[in-house]
Amino acid sequence: MSFKKTLGKSFVLILIILILLVGGLLWFDYLGVVHVKSVFAPLYKVMNKTPQTSQTASKSKPLTANLDEDRLKKQREANDIFKEELDKREADILIIEKQNQQIAAELEEREKNQEEREKTFNLTVKKYEDKNINVEQIANNLNGMTPKAAVAILIEMDDQTVIDVLRKCEEIAAASGSASQGSYWLSLMPSDRAAQIQRKMISKPESLE
């Protein structure tokens, strides 16, 4: 009696173990963990279930997010944003460089114009100095001549040069405290030429031309 009872218990335990084993295999096969579809295909038909295959598993959505793919996607987005910022900065730099080149060109042009003005001014000053020296030398030479000889030279000059020489003679006479011979020279000139020179001296200010 005891032997039969023990045998019955063992059979029940073995049956339970088989049920659990088959159930576990069926479940893992359905999940695609193990592949025993050919063995349990009749049971799937009875249970009206479709066994999990590698193809259906590949087509189904993953249970967990693909972190590497998300990380790569975010990195690409960050790279795109960074590239856009670099492109914008490069465009801004090109604009600034163009503006700087324009300013530099304007400054160079202004500097060139300033140099030209300074050059022109220096030439004018030098011309004035040279002419003033020449006029003063002529006045001193004429003052050392006889009045007739001085008048003969003055008559050969143009009106403006005669005016400059006469005015320089007046400056020299005023500086030395002596009388200028300019009026006397004019009196020895032909009356029409003398009148013309006197009229210009009155109507025109002192000039180098």
Side-chain angles (χ1 to χ4, degrees):
M1 198 67 186
S2 175
F3 175 75
K4 291 181 178 181
K5 186 177 181 180
T6 302
L7 183 61
K9 289 181 179 181
S10 299
F11 178 77
V12 172
L13 290 174
I14 293 172
L15 183 60
I16 293 173
I17 291 172
L18 289 175
I19 293 172
L20 291 176
L21 179 61
V22 172
L25 289 174
L26 288 173
W27 178 251
F28 285 119
D29 182 73
Y30 179 76
L31 294 177
V33 178
V34 296
H35 302 284
V36 289
K37 292 174 283 298
S38 60
V39 178
F40 297 105
L43 291 176
Y44 278 115
K45 291 181 180 180
V46 173
M47 297 172 61
N48 196 21
K49 298 291 185 179
T50 302
Q52 183 76 6
T53 63
S54 58
Q55 184 176 4
T56 56
S58 62
K59 291 182 179 179
S60 63
K61 295 183 179 179
L63 298 178
T64 57
N66 192 330
L67 298 179
D68 291 336
E69 185 177 352
D70 292 342
R71 189 180 299 110
L72 181 61
K73 182 179 180 181
K74 291 180 180 179
Q75 183 65 36
R76 289 175 179 173
E77 292 177 352
N79 289 339
D80 292 339
I81 295 174
F82 182 68
K83 184 177 182 301
E84 290 178 359
E85 291 179 354
L86 288 180
D87 293 341
K88 185 177 182 302
R89 290 182 181 180
E90 184 177 0
D92 293 341
I93 290 174
L94 291 176
I95 293 175
I96 294 174
E97 287 181 352
K98 186 176 180 180
Q99 292 176 348
N100 290 338
Q101 291 175 356
Q102 183 177 359
I103 293 174
E106 291 177 356
L107 292 176
E108 184 178 358
E109 184 67 21
R110 291 181 182 179
E111 183 177 358
K112 183 178 179 181
N113 293 336
Q114 180 65 24
E115 290 177 354
E116 290 295 331
R117 286 193 293 269
E118 291 179 357
K119 183 178 180 180
T120 302
F121 175 77
N122 291 334
L123 289 175
T124 302
V125 171
K126 187 176 186 303
K127 180 180 179 181
Y128 170 79
E129 291 176 348
D130 293 343
K131 186 171 183 178
N132 189 52
I133 292 173
N134 292 334
V135 170
E136 184 175 1
Q137 184 65 40
I138 293 172
N140 289 326
N141 291 337
L142 293 178
N143 283 330
M145 297 179 182
T146 62
K148 289 185 179 181
V151 170
I153 294 175
L154 288 173
I155 291 175
E156 299 299 326
M157 298 178 183
D158 59 89
D159 291 349
Q160 185 61 51
T161 302
V162 173
I163 292 172
D164 292 337
V165 171
L166 294 178
R167 285 174 174 169
K168 179 59 66 174
C169 288
E170 292 178 358
E171 293 179 6
I172 295 173
S176 62
S178 59
S180 174
Q181 300 186 61
S183 299
Y184 184 58
W185 290 341
L186 285 173
S187 66
L188 296 178
M189 287 184 181
S191 58
D192 56 342
R193 180 75 186 280
Q196 180 177 328
I197 292 174
Q198 287 177 331
R199 184 171 62 253
K200 288 182 178 181
M201 291 181 69
I202 294 174
S203 61
K204 295 180 63 176
E206 294 185 9
S207 172
L208 295 176
E209 299 299 328

